[in-house]
Amino acid sequence: MSYFNGEASHWLAQSPAAPINPTPLPSEKQDLVIVGGGLTGLWSAYYARQTHPDWSITILEAKHIGYGASGRNGGWLSTLLPGNRAKYAEAVDRALRNDPTGPVGSAGLDGVSSVRSFQSALFDSVDEVLAVCETEGIDAHQVHGGHIDIAQSEAGMSRLHALFEGNAQFGYGPEDMQFLDAEATRNRINVDGAQGSIFFPGTAAIDPALLTRGLAHTLRQQGVTICEATSASHIGKGTVATNRGPVRGETIFVCLEGYSDTVTGDLPGLQGRQVIPVFSSMIATEPLPAKAWESIGWQGRECLGDTAHTFIYAQRTADGRIALGGRGAPYAFGSGLPGDGEVPAEVVDLLAGRLSSLFPDLEFDIAHAWRGALGVTRDWCAGIFFDPAQRIGVARGYAGHGVTATHLAAKTLLDRASGAATPLTGLPWNDHFSGQWEPEPIRWLGIRSMYKLFGVADAWETATSAKKTSLLAQFGSRLAGLHE
């Protein structure tokens, strides 16, 4: 099997950017300096420009726009909340018990109600991203086709029912999700052995490279300075030290996600081992012939997920490929980074096997494989922070659900920087402390063991035709902090 491996991602390789000609660093103090040229940084600059057309704004990016997770993800502009909803709710309720008149109490919401507001804001963000694309003429191959989670086993069906109940508790209404039986599921996407699914109409599929590059083009036209090939090393009050010299800023946003350890400084939400890079790998097939699509269906270009513990996420691309991702080799000792994204051959084989298990009657030629780094906290919850004394803000920890969350995070960071109390500053990811990751080698052993455990649980459920979720998977989920 011959395929491209690495090169950041298939999306980026299909939409090559112009050669980097490093923009001169600004000599004057900027109103806003953003460290990180991914979606959080781009959206922060976009909304800062809308609100403050007179501001001087500079984005600093170590490689090129979209080089990190923003240009390597599965392209789900989804309604999925970035974190464990029960953990957010528990944190809010705990804060209310400790200080009923404090910042959390002033919002007037208990834990579950606070998460429901969070979910509502994410629903709005999907619509707002699509509206910006239309307004600014950004063609990211977006299609508002929803997403569908499919179960291929009885145990998987039990998890779908639990998901449906949890979603209803935390803010999904009848218009936001629909249970489909086996026939209705296969009429949408003809997945082998599909027993049922939940369809979520709110999600849209996009090409993430086209979105990031489209936003960057818009920002340059609006006078935002973007300095690529400019890596930050230390961030302090009013100054970012880079490989090309210092950049001064009245306000600084740190938007590095899985790359957060590449900078030093007394940064809110990043002290100690709060965020680590966890890898997710993807493959993209060659374009499928029309006959294959007749067999598969997938006419709505829905985003596709499943209920396996070693879950997959996929989309039908605008040019007729299947792009599919999953974990596999999820973590490098010492929080190593993925570089240009080359994937071990065994992980490519694993993902190709998962694709074949969905559509066993078809043959697929793999065109490209790549991987990227997610920013993951110990409780898998994202956090938004702002230190008013230093005027430094941080967004981190999307845990793979960042395409929509980055948009909401950017608007929240700007509200935090303004000092105003708004509905966004009252959402439960503001100042959410997730705890510290264990030191090495405990961290490496724990993460690798967790994913091995999930693989064993999937195999056991398949071999035994289990009706309920494996006890092994339940144990692994609780140990990792994923259980709601």
Side-chain angles (χ1 to χ4, degrees), residues 217-231:
H217 175 73
T218 296
L219 291 172
R220 288 187 174 106
Q221 288 186 318
Q222 294 176 351
V224 172
T225 300
I226 299 178
C227 299
E228 297 177 295
T230 306
S231 56

Side-chain angles (χ1 to χ4, degrees), residues 1-6 281-283 327-329 341-354 366 368-371:
M1 185 187 302
S2 177
Y3 51 85
F4 292 108
N5 195 342
S281 301
M282 291 197 70
I283 56 174
R327 291 295 188 260
E342 188 169 333
V343 184
E346 62 270 20
V347 176
V348 178
D349 292 342
L350 175 67
L351 294 176
R354 292 289 287 115
I366 306 303
H368 204 141
W370 70 95
R371 62 179 175 175

Side-chain angles (χ1 to χ4, degrees), residues 130 140-146 203-206 300-303 315-316:
L130 295 174
H141 296 166
Q142 60 267 32
V143 59
H144 208 165
T203 294
I206 61 161
R301 281 190 59 202
E302 301 92 339
C303 295
Q315 67 155 285
R316 174 180 176 172

Side-chain angles (χ1 to χ4, degrees), residues 23-213:
T23 302
L25 297 181
S27 57
E28 297 181 350
K29 188 175 186 178
Q30 302 291 285
D31 292 296
L32 177 62
V33 175
I34 298 165
V35 183
L39 284 171
T40 308
L42 295 168
W43 283 122
S44 295
Y46 181 82
Y47 283 103
R49 173 57 76 234
Q50 305 306 303
T51 309
H52 303 283
D54 57 326
W55 272 14
S56 54
I57 304 169
T58 292
I59 298 174
L60 307 176
E61 165 55 42
K63 296 290 188 177
H64 58 76
I65 291 297
Y67 177 80
S70 293
R72 306 190 192 197
N73 59 73
W76 284 38
L77 182 64
S78 82
T79 61
L80 294 170
L81 189 146
N84 185 312
R85 298 174 293 191
K87 296 286 185 184
Y88 286 125
E90 289 168 6
V92 170
D93 288 337
R94 184 167 56 249
L96 285 172
R97 288 194 298 271
N98 293 337
D99 184 7
T101 62
V104 172
S106 66
L109 299 174
D110 63 12
V112 170
S113 299
S114 181
V115 175
R116 291 173 69 91
S117 293
F118 194 1
Q119 186 63 68
S120 178
L122 281 167
F123 289 151
D124 291 342
S125 279
V126 173
D127 294 334
E128 289 172 18
V129 170
L130 295 174
V132 170
C133 287
E134 182 175 356
T135 298
E136 304 296 351
I138 298 172
D139 180 5
H141 296 166
Q142 60 267 32
V143 59
H144 208 165
H147 88 259
I148 185 169
D149 283 342
I150 291 179
Q152 293 175 281
S153 68
E154 289 192 56
M157 285 296 294
S158 73
R159 289 191 287 278
L160 276 186
H161 285 285
L163 174 64
F164 195 92
E165 293 173 3
N167 285 349
Q169 177 188 9
F170 286 116
Y172 282 72
E175 70 281 5
D176 302 315
M177 57 181 180
Q178 176 186 1
F179 238 112
L180 303 180
D181 62 18
E183 181 180 3
T185 298
R186 290 195 291 267
N187 284 340
R188 282 188 175 272
I189 307 177
N190 190 20
V191 169
D192 184 63
Q195 297 192 16
S197 63
I198 303 177
F199 174 64
F200 302 90
T203 294
I206 61 161
D207 179 320
L210 291 176
L211 177 60
T212 54
R213 287 175 173 165

